[in-house]
Each structure stands twice: as C-alpha cells, then as structure tokens.
Amino acid sequence: MRLTTYPPVHEGQNLGDLLKFEADNLYSRDQVTVAADQVLKLGHVVGRLTATGEIAALDPLATDGREVAIGVAIMPITTTTDPSPDGLIVARHATVADHALVWPIRATPEQRAAAVVQLHGIGVLVRRGV
C-alpha cells in the first residue's frame, strides 16, 4: 500500500495568537489614523506622534511621541505617502501574548520592559503566552 505524504503547512500569526482577552462591545479597541510610510504587522507595539496624533511603530529612541507605547496593532496595515484612517489597535482593558508582539529591531530588553510597563499603565497586560 502506498501512502501519500504532504509537506507541513505553516500558518502565520493570527489575532487569536496575539489577543488573549478584550472587553465586550469593542471597548478595548480604537480605530486610529496610521502615519505615512508605516508597515505595521499584527502585534506591532505602537506610539502616537505628538504633532499629528497619528500612530506609528514604537521607537524608543524617538522624541516625537513614538517613544511611548500606547497600544498594539491588531490588524496589519501598510501606508504609503499618505496617512490611513484604517488602523486598529487594542488600547485598554486587554491581555496580549508576549511572543506575538512585534518590537523595533534594535530595541534592548530594558526598552522592551519599559514599553511593557507603559502598556500595563493603560490597561494592556502582556502575559507569557503559548
């Protein structure tokens, strides 16, 4: 008898991998405007540009508001030369899995820990997930 073998299927991260708890009636979520020239993936930790109020990827070395974690992207979005009002983040009363967060490439463990504390301060808990 001949058995057919198939290559394994690898599924990428999905919302269930990242978001472990959120409040009812979309209370935890905010629709936001994403700044121009951004590539935000599911789980990207984000900050808010002080001058415009737009969301951008966290940058611990910035001085324009992006250095403070204000939420986590729960939908991937890419912007070009114009901002997009179609961003979606979890910004309060939620729990996210640590392994599913997307950090800046050069973020140190201390900078990540500081961002986790900032998220905790707004009610977004980062827990060890599987």
Side-chain angles (χ1 to χ4, degrees):
M1 182 160 120
R2 208 168 175 203
L3 294 176
T4 304
T5 58
Y6 297 96
V9 175
H10 298 285
E11 183 179 330
Q13 296 276 12
N14 62 50
L15 187 57
D17 296 323
L18 169 70
L19 191 58
K20 298 305 181 179
F21 171 82
E22 68 175 321
D24 293 337
N25 300 317
L26 306 177
Y27 174 77
S28 301
R29 299 180 184 197
D30 278 346
Q31 186 168 357
V32 295
T33 299
V34 179
D37 300 318
Q38 294 292 306
V39 178
L40 298 180
K41 300 176 184 175
L42 173 72
H44 231 115
V45 180
V46 296
R48 185 181 315 275
L49 291 164
T50 306
T52 62
E54 297 167 348
I55 300 303
L58 180 76
D59 182 355
L61 301 178
T63 59
D64 58 4
R66 293 176 296 149
E67 69 277 10
V68 178
I70 59 95
V72 178
I74 57 173
M75 190 172 105
I77 186 168
T78 300
T79 58
T80 55
T81 57
D82 296 318
S84 171
D86 297 328
L88 194 59
I89 65 171
V90 64
R92 71 190 65 77
H93 200 66
T95 303
V96 294
D98 61 347
H99 68 85
L101 294 178
V102 177
W103 297 99
I105 292 172
R106 293 182 182 86
T108 65
E110 293 80 16
Q111 291 167 333
R112 288 182 183 197
V116 167
V117 169
Q118 292 165 352
L119 289 172
H120 182 80
I122 61 170
V124 177
L125 305 179
V126 178
R127 295 288 186 244
R128 187 164 186 216
V130 291

